[in-house]
DNA sequence: ACGCCCAAGTTTTACGTATAACGTCCTGCT
DNA sequence: AGCAGGACGTTATACGTAAAACTTGGGCGT
């Protein structure tokens, strides 16, 4: 037993096993082959077990100069999407003996003045999701290895990037709706300055401009049920021919669009088709179930973490986009008349 | 400039300011009054600023024997509820200079064999949410200050507990439905061995037994859309008089119940009333909007963190339950006939 | 004039770990 | 017989910080 009630240290283990502290470190660090006899190694392991020894991570981190801990910066945790990203990143991290600390940037997507303010941990690297460029600069100042998720590759200042192939998702949506015969579209866009949403707008416009006779209106709303409802309602009641399909930047917006359509007495999908993007649990709870683009959040987090591990290893991370796929459910149908 | 490209240490700052390392520590630790002149203190601060000095947390943690970091153990991050708990806990923590590391127990609610397996951080304390008793024992073995969220106070082995007043929420639901005239109930229960769900079942039974002429059937399902759908569908098609109200253990189950009701051609709330519990974003997206009990997840997390801070301070945390309130929306109405 | 205390620092130490550098047998070979 | 070298360790040191213990040079009271 160590004196007092403090946690046992490697020295306590050494004493209990009748060896030096260095031997304990070698054995428990699995570097004992050819340096310590198997019998002694066993004694040490038993003593450690007996005392309930757990290494002091602060001391180890100080000694090694690294912490095997990385920071994941995400916008506010308001959907399960980022929970999935975290889960995926944490899983891969754990497999490599790393831990992940979460930092929900208080200002949401956009500039974060003090990227690490509340993160008490000492860090080996950072994964930043959907961040604005100025926050990026603040982070880079710390010289930490950095991976950006869903961010403009051209503005990433040399940081590695991992992206979902959102552009392809938009192509799949527009292809689906055009194939059904839709020509008049409303784009319910997230009113957030973020690359991932710019891509949606740009790609959608590019897809539709190719097809003669199409029209595209854009409504903007913050990602909230109420705002989406209001914006859609306004957009659908403006004079002129009504859009037959509403393409929403994400599922939450789509839920608002559903309610707006219902308020106006429109049936989904008979009178109006609606699509989302994310494939949250919400998508299946809506009635009819939402046609949307499935994003594999966990895989996204996994890839992000793998890229960061590569950077930490001095390797160059692969730059492939993560595929996404359209899930056709009940909210889309050919336009009537 | 320090030699090489390593991060500047307090010694580098000392050299730049022409003082000893101890002086730097005193100044930056704000313990310099009466020990260092104001002019020197300024020189030190400027030097630190100039070099971009940031203290090495591993070294500080080692020296101080504490990390100002706590672990929040939650079941899988599949709903925004636990995201809210985290957000609240992290906010309070940040105000006190603490960080929060998240550990989503891989086995979900229930036994967690290796509570800290993937948590690389050195910890000052633990907040554990909805955990089973055996996992608790494993945690207690580590002698860390512990606060339990939504856990059986009688089985908490002396750990502080913070609970939502779920029992009161159940009373509000049953009062609401009984007041509307309902007498035949289906309880769609979460098929998870956790105290928070046991409370729901016990309290509901207790509420209904007081009222003559009531019947209560119970269906069980894991918390998933599909399972809830299947369980409800089975329960509603068994012979005998059909329940007029379905009380669900949480909103996600309610979403499944909605779909089951629709499949059977039942209108909500005309033919059947449905209630949830949580008040997730989902609740407002359903059509009609879900009558449910609002849980203030962020406040829950805040209270949990405050309790842990109290324990760390040697104070006794208050043992008050957090109030919840019924939100009546469109999914409940008097039974027809 | 002498001692004392205070301001303004400095020197030293400890936290617990990982590892480089250094001993000491003993075995086997020439 | 002598000696190389492997097996099995030990000793010593550094990581960066906080803080206790020590130093030094006035200024002030008596």
């Amino acid at each position: 037993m160590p004196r007092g009630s403090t946690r046992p240290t490697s020295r306590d283990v050494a004493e209990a096993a009748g060896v030096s502290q260095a031997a304990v470190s070698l054995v428990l660090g699995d570097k004992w082959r050819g340096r310590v006899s198997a019998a002694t190694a066993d004694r040490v392991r038993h003593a450690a077990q007996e005392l309930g020894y757990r290494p002091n991570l602060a001391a180890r981190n100080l000694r090694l100069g690294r912490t095997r801990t990385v920071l994941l910066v995400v916008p506010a945790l308001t959907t399960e999407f980022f929970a999935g990203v975290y889960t995926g990143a944490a899983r891969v991290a754990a497999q490599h003996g790393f831990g992940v600390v979460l930092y929900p940037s208080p200002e949401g997507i956009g500039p974060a003045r003090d990227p690490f303010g509340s993160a008490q941990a000492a860090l080996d690297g950072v994964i930043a999701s959907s961040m604005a460029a100025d926050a990026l600069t603040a982070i880079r100042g710390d010289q930490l290895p950095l991976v950006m998720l869903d961010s403009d590759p051209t503005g990433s200042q040399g940081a590695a990037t991992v992206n979902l192939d959102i552009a392809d998702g938009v192509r799949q949506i527009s292809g689906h709706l055009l194939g059904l015969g839709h020509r008049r579209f409303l784009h319910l866009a997230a009113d957030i300055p973020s690359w991932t949403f710019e891509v949606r707008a740009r790609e959608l416009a590019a897809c539709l401009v190719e097809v003669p006779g199409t029209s595209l209106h854009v409504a903007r709303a913050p990602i909230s049920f109420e705002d989406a409802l209001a914006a859609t309602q306004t957009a659908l009641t403006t004079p002129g021919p009504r859009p037959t399909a509403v393409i929403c930047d994400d599922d939450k917006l789509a839920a608002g669009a559903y309610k707006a359509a219902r308020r106006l007495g429109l049936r989904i999908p008979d009178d109006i088709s609606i699509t989302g993007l994310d494939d949250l649990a919400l998508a299946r709870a809506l009635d009819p179930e939402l046609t949307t683009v499935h994003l594999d959040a966990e895989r996204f987090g996994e890839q992000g973490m793998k890229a960061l591990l590569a950077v930490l290893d001095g390797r160059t991370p692969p730059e492939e986009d993560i595929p996404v796929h359209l899930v056709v459910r009940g909210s889309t149908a050919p336009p009537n008349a």
Side-chain angles (χ1 to χ4, degrees), chain A residues 15-221:
Chain A
E15 202 168 322
V19 297
S20 70
Q21 179 266 330
V24 173
S25 182
L26 288 172
V27 171
L28 300 183
D30 210 34
K31 294 191 162 52
W32 57 278
R33 262 157 284 261
R35 317 258 287 118
V36 176
S37 72
T40 306
D42 265 355
R43 272 213 327 284
V44 169
R45 274 189 288 259
H46 274 95
Q49 175 78 21
E50 201 68 29
L51 294 177
Y53 169 73
R54 306 209 332 147
N56 180 318
L57 294 183
R60 171 178 290 172
N61 292 342
L62 176 59
R63 175 71 236 253
L64 296 178
R66 66 200 151 84
T67 59
R68 305 207 138 235
T69 297
V70 305
L71 183 73
L72 176 64
V73 183
V74 298
L77 281 168
T78 48
T79 70
E80 73 243 38
F81 178 75
F82 290 105
V85 173
Y86 173 84
T87 303
R91 175 168 46 235
V92 171
Q95 284 163 6
H96 293 78
F98 277 73
V100 178
V101 176
L102 199 57
Y103 181 58
S105 149
E107 288 133 88
I109 301 179
R113 308 288 300 306
D114 176 19
F116 312 138
S118 76
Q120 287 298 317
L123 305 172
D124 281 354
V126 177
I127 304 178
S129 186
S130 311
M131 293 204 52
D134 56 344
L136 205 172
T137 308
I139 292 182
R140 296 254 68 180
D142 263 26
Q143 305 281 26
L144 282 172
L146 173 66
V147 169
M148 308 284 300
L149 302 187
D150 252 346
S151 304
D152 189 350
T154 64
S156 63
Q157 305 181 11
T161 60
V162 173
N163 289 332
L164 291 163
D165 198 350
I166 296 288
D168 186 54
V170 172
R171 284 194 290 275
Q172 292 183 46
I173 290 175
S174 58
H176 171 61
L177 291 172
L178 287 169
L180 288 172
H182 291 273
R183 289 299 178 269
R184 293 195 305 279
F185 298 93
L186 171 64
H187 177 200
L188 181 54
D191 195 9
I192 293 177
S194 171
W195 183 76
T196 185
F197 296 118
E198 289 166 20
V199 167
R200 291 156 165 76
R202 188 164 51 230
E203 191 67 24
L204 184 57
C207 286
L208 298 187
V209 83
E210 292 177 357
V211 183
T214 60
S215 75
L216 172 63
H217 283 93
V218 178
R220 302 195 161 278

Side-chain angles (χ1 to χ4, degrees), chain A residues 240-274:
Chain A
R242 201 177 50 226
T244 61
V246 183
I247 297 174
C248 305
D249 266 1
D250 100 335
D251 288 0
K252 239 179 182 173
L253 293 173
Y258 264 59
K259 177 134 288 188
R262 292 259 158 73
R263 287 248 179 109
L264 299 173
L266 300 173
R267 290 163 307 163
I268 308 166
D270 312 80
D271 300 320
I272 194 161
S273 289
I274 298 181

